[in-house]
Structure formats: structure tokens, C-alpha cells
Amino acid sequence: MRMPAARAALVLALALLAPACGASRQQGAGQPLLPAAAPGLDICRNEAVAPPLVSRLHCPGRPTLVVAPLLSWSRQPDTSGTQDTIRFLYPLGRWQDGPAGQELTFIPAVDAAWPATADQAAAASTFFPLFWGRTAGGERYGGLFPVAGELKDRFNAGRIRFALWPLWSEVRTGDNAKTHLLWPVVSYAQGPDQSGCKLWPLGGRFEKTGRSRSWFALWPLLSGSQELEGERVRGERLAVFPFYGTAWSGSRQETWWLWPFFSWTEDPGQGWTSRDLLWPLVRISDGPDRRLRRYWPLWSESDAPGRRESFLLWPFFSRSQEELTGGVRMTTASGLLIARHRQHLAAGSGQVLATDDLLWPLFRDTSAQGWRRLRVLDPFSILGDGFDLHYGGLFRVVDLVTGPDELVQLDLLFGLAGYEREPARARWRLAYLFDLRRGADWDSWSLALLGGLWQHWQGPDQGGGQLLHLFRYGDSRTSPGP
């Protein structure tokens, strides 16, 4: 079932805002200055519409409009159609509308879906404390938490029922059921594949036939478990917490005293040993393909397949090097300020395709095959694209993008001032005070003052202007400028 009313309410502001914001640039807006992205590195052109709050991003097949820090809208082609995504109060809220249907999420209270067709796969919706849904077979369920309710094919169970939770609840999978009374105090299991009961914290015992056994007494003081393969014991654990514990599985043997401070683990079959002395201060481990020496906070060094790490006088000096998939080598050096150097290497040849240098939160410098982006005062890009998209522009004092053929885009002071240049045109702007554009060799130019209240444009042979967005003078057929 579709939900056009909710969709309209969510997208109405953006639908109205997009043309309104574009009005200040309609006089000779031209095409985007920079291509959507550099190969191997995400360098998208940012267009300041109403800085520092409103901006557009030009990325390949993914136009994005941002109203920082409240919300953003993006459209991305899909193999079966186009998907619109609205994020609001990031990272809490998200609305998606695509070929498969619509989804609404607002952490932690709302998680709802409206599939495009009624015969589609299972769907679940939550408007806490209400929830409802249906299984892939079309069975419906729902409830009001914690009063009463039922879930089907959720959380790795066939059916979950509850009433006045935690007073009573039941989890059923196939013919096996586990019932809880005043959870977690009383529980008992019934069925052909399981049995047992518990009265927490006094004692309890459960068994899954042919798979595992577990028990406890005076929890957490005494506990134990066994891994089974039919009637054969494959592994066993015994603990007198926190004084002593031992466990084995296959050739692996672990023993600890005064958990978690002292432990000894060895696996002769793998040729591996590990020792913790006053954990986490001293850790020593050796194996055929890895090694660790840690004397925290003085010094540490570890070597494992694809990754090497070390630190000296933590947290002042640390370094790591990691080989990632796709030919990416990432080297990180950090201290009180996070410093990182990342390289994107071509598979086989080892040619450097892209680099990423970060000194957090002061600056970030990325480059790829002739493209480069430098950001000054950049606290959010390290947290991911979402945080940077919604909050980064409110803090960034310099954002410089350069490309081939001397292409330049420079945004200053949170996007309030800027400069753009390419071979055929250039642009200077300062907030809403003035916006000056020129063509090649000044053969044409335009000037807008006070947000476009007065505009003048000049072509090679004729010119004109506009006052208060209403009154025109000169040749009204003249192109509005470069």
C-alpha cells in the first residue's frame, strides 16, 4: 500500500524550495563548473544556493539538495527505477521512496515500510509502542508493547508472544517453545529438541539436543557449558567467577585467573599462544602469521595479515598500515590530532590513483587523477559522508576544488564567499551583496547586487538589466550573461 499523503508532507518543503533557491541563479547560471566526481575519489561539485544553510551537490547520477543541518534530499537511479531519499535530523530520520516501496525510519521510535505491491516480501512497521507487519506467507501480526502482542518470523523465531511484559512471554520455533515468567527470573523450555528451566539467580540448566548443554548456580559465581556433536563433547567451559575459569574446544585451551587480568590461551594445532598479564596493560601473543607485543601505555607493536599497528606513549604517537581490498593501502599516523595518509593503488601495477591526507580537525586534502579537494576546519568528514553532508558546511572555512584545464571552485567562510573559474567563464560572489560573472576574455559579463535586486548583463554587442526582479531595461532579449 502506497502512502502518498505522507510522502507529499515530507517532500513538499524541498519541492517548493528547489525552484525558489534557483531563482537567484537563473540569470546566467550556466552548467556545473566541475564534473560530478573524480575517478577513484568522491569529489563532487558543491553549489552554494543560500549559504551556509542551503546548497546543491552535483554528483554522477545523484543530485542532492541540502538544508543544513535539518534535512537533505537525493535522487539515485536504481536498476529497476529511481529512488528518492530524504534524511532529516541526521542520523535519526530517513524516508525512502523507490521501486520496492516506501520506508520511514526515525530512531528509536519509528521503523515502517509500505511495499509497492501487496504480494511483495515480508514487511514490518513500528510506531513505538505500536507495531504491526506480515510474513512472507501473508500472515499478519501486531501489538502494543508492553501490554500485549505477537511477532511472526522475527528475531530468528517463528513466533513471539507477550502479555504485560516482562510478566509473561513465549518464544516458539517449530515445535520448540521457551516460556518466561517475570523475565529473566523464571524460564522453562519444552519441545522435541530442547529442555530445561531456570530460577535466576539461584540456578538453571538448559539443553539443546545434540547441540549444547549449559548450567549455572548462584549466577554469576558458578557456570558451565558443553558443545555437543550428537553425544560427543566437542568443547567445554567451567567458571568460578571471577577467580578461575577454563575452556577448551578442539585443540584450543584457555585458562584465566582473576578475570580479566590474567589469562593464558594456546592452540597447538594452529601454533598460536596468547598471554594477558594485568590486562590490558601487558598482552603477548605469537602465531604462524601474527605477532603482538603490548606494554600499555608505553609501547605496542602488532603484525597480522594485511595490517600492522604500533604506538609509543599512547595516546601521543600511533601508526597503522592496512592493505584493503581493491588495491587500497591505508596508512594512519595519529596522536592528539588524528593524522592519516591513505593511498588508492591500482591492482597489479601499484600506480597511485588517489590520495587522502587528513589532520583532524584542521584540514583534509584529497586528490585523484588531476582532481584535488582541500578542506580547512573539517571536523565531520572523518565521521562519514552523512555527517559531513549535513553539518560539515557549517564549520568549514575553506573548501577548494581544482581540476584539469585550470578548473577552480573556492568556497570561503562557510560558503558565504566564493570564486569559480573554467576556460570559458569565471564567477566571484560575496554572500548576498554581489555576484559577478564573466565570459571568455570578458566578452560578456553580468553583475547582481543585493541578492539580485539590481542586475546588469552585457553581451558582445548589447546589454540590459533588471531592477527589483520586475523592471527591465535595455535589450530584454539579451542573454543574461556568462
Side-chain angles (χ1 to χ4, degrees), residues 4 78 101 105 110 115 124 147 172 176 197 314 321 326 345 351 359 406 413 426 434 438 474:
D78 191 78
T105 302
V110 179
V147 179
R172 182 176 291 273
N176 299 293
C197 61
W314 186 93
Q321 182 172 320
L345 304 180
Q351 178 187 0
L359 182 61
E406 299 183 349
L413 299 176
F434 79 90
R438 69 158 178 86

Side-chain angles (χ1 to χ4, degrees), residues 33-66:
L33 173 63
L34 299 177
L41 199 64
D42 188 16
I43 298 181
C44 299
R45 177 190 176 255
N46 178 60
E47 177 187 346
V49 177
L53 300 180
V54 183
S55 61
R56 290 193 187 101
L57 265 68
H58 299 274
C59 296
R62 182 168 48 93
T64 301
L65 177 66
V66 182

Side-chain angles (χ1 to χ4, degrees), residues 166-169 179-188 198-199:
L167 292 183
W168 177 85
S169 60
T179 304
H180 305 277
L181 303 175
L182 197 60
W183 180 90
V185 177
V186 178
S187 300
Y188 60 92
K198 75 172 182 179
L199 179 61

Side-chain angles (χ1 to χ4, degrees), residues 181 262 291 296 322 440:
L181 303 175
F262 302 95
R291 181 177 181 272
W296 188 88
E322 187 173 3

Side-chain angles (χ1 to χ4, degrees), residues 52 69 361 376-380 390-398 413-414:
V376 177
L377 196 56
D378 184 56
F380 288 102
H390 293 84
Y391 306 106
L394 301 177
F395 292 81
R396 196 172 294 128
V397 295
V398 176
L413 299 176
F414 329 109

Side-chain angles (χ1 to χ4, degrees), residues 182-468:
L182 197 60
W183 180 90
V185 177
V186 178
S187 300
Y188 60 92
Q190 295 174 308
D193 301 321
Q194 63 178 17
S195 62
C197 61
K198 75 172 182 179
L199 179 61
W200 183 87
L202 299 180
R205 182 182 184 276
F206 288 97
E207 180 173 352
K208 295 183 178 180
T209 306
R211 296 169 57 190
S212 65
R213 299 189 188 104
S214 63
W215 62 271
F216 72 89
L218 298 177
W219 185 92
L221 181 61
L222 301 173
S223 65
S225 65
Q226 290 180 327
E227 300 176 21
L228 303 177
E229 184 176 358
E231 293 298 322
R232 185 172 69 91
V233 179
R234 298 180 54 194
E236 192 169 9
R237 181 186 62 85
L238 175 66
V240 183
F241 187 84
F243 307 105
Y244 171 79
T246 183
W248 67 269
S249 179
S251 61
R252 179 188 174 96
Q253 177 76 40
E254 179 181 1
T255 305
W256 52 261
W257 303 267
L258 295 177
W259 185 91
F261 300 111
F262 302 95
S263 70
W264 177 285
T265 305
E266 62 179 350
D267 190 338
Q270 301 292 329
W272 182 77
T273 61
S274 176
R275 299 170 292 283
D276 291 342
L277 307 174
L278 290 176
W279 181 93
L281 302 183
V282 178
R283 302 199 69 190
I284 302 172
S285 64
D286 292 283
D289 59 352
R290 62 192 64 224
R291 181 177 181 272
L292 169 65
R293 297 290 186 271
R294 176 179 296 172
Y295 303 94
W296 188 88
L298 301 178
W299 171 75
S300 174
E301 185 176 72
S302 65
D303 194 350
R307 185 173 183 86
R308 301 184 66 182
E309 294 181 298
S310 62
F311 70 72
L312 179 66
L313 298 177
W314 186 93
F316 294 101
F317 308 100
S318 64
R319 186 178 185 275
S320 67
Q321 182 172 320
E322 187 173 3
E323 300 288 341
L324 306 178
T325 58
V328 177
R329 176 185 300 161
M330 184 173 70
T331 301
T332 303
S334 63
L336 296 180
L337 292 176
I338 297 178
R340 184 182 71 195
H341 173 69
R342 177 185 294 170
Q343 287 183 319
H344 188 147
L345 304 180
S349 67
Q351 178 187 0
V352 178
L353 300 179
T355 62
D356 185 1
D357 296 295
L358 170 71
L359 182 61
W360 188 87
L362 300 181
F363 75 87
R364 185 171 187 176
D365 187 4
T366 53
S367 62
Q369 299 184 12
W371 297 91
R372 182 180 181 185
R373 183 180 184 187
L374 173 65
R375 288 166 279 189
V376 177
L377 196 56
D378 184 56
F380 288 102
S381 67
I382 193 175
L383 301 178
D385 294 338
F387 282 97
D388 186 53
L389 180 69
H390 293 84
Y391 306 106
L394 301 177
F395 292 81
R396 196 172 294 128
V397 295
V398 176
D399 193 346
L400 172 64
V401 178
T402 61
D405 300 321
E406 299 183 349
L407 300 181
V408 176
Q409 177 179 310
L410 173 63
D411 291 316
L412 300 173
L413 299 176
F414 329 109
L416 293 175
Y419 169 67
E420 301 174 9
R421 185 188 70 201
E422 61 176 331
R425 67 183 186 96
R427 180 191 180 197
W428 297 261
R429 59 179 177 82
L430 177 60
Y432 308 100
L433 298 180
F434 79 90
D435 189 336
L436 174 63
R437 309 160 191 257
R438 69 158 178 86
D441 300 323
W442 291 92
D443 59 341
S444 60
W445 58 273
S446 67
L447 174 65
L449 301 179
L450 300 177
L453 292 180
W454 178 74
Q455 301 178 63
H456 182 83
W457 52 85
Q458 185 69 47
D461 302 316
Q462 52 192 348
Q466 181 174 274
L467 182 64
L468 301 178

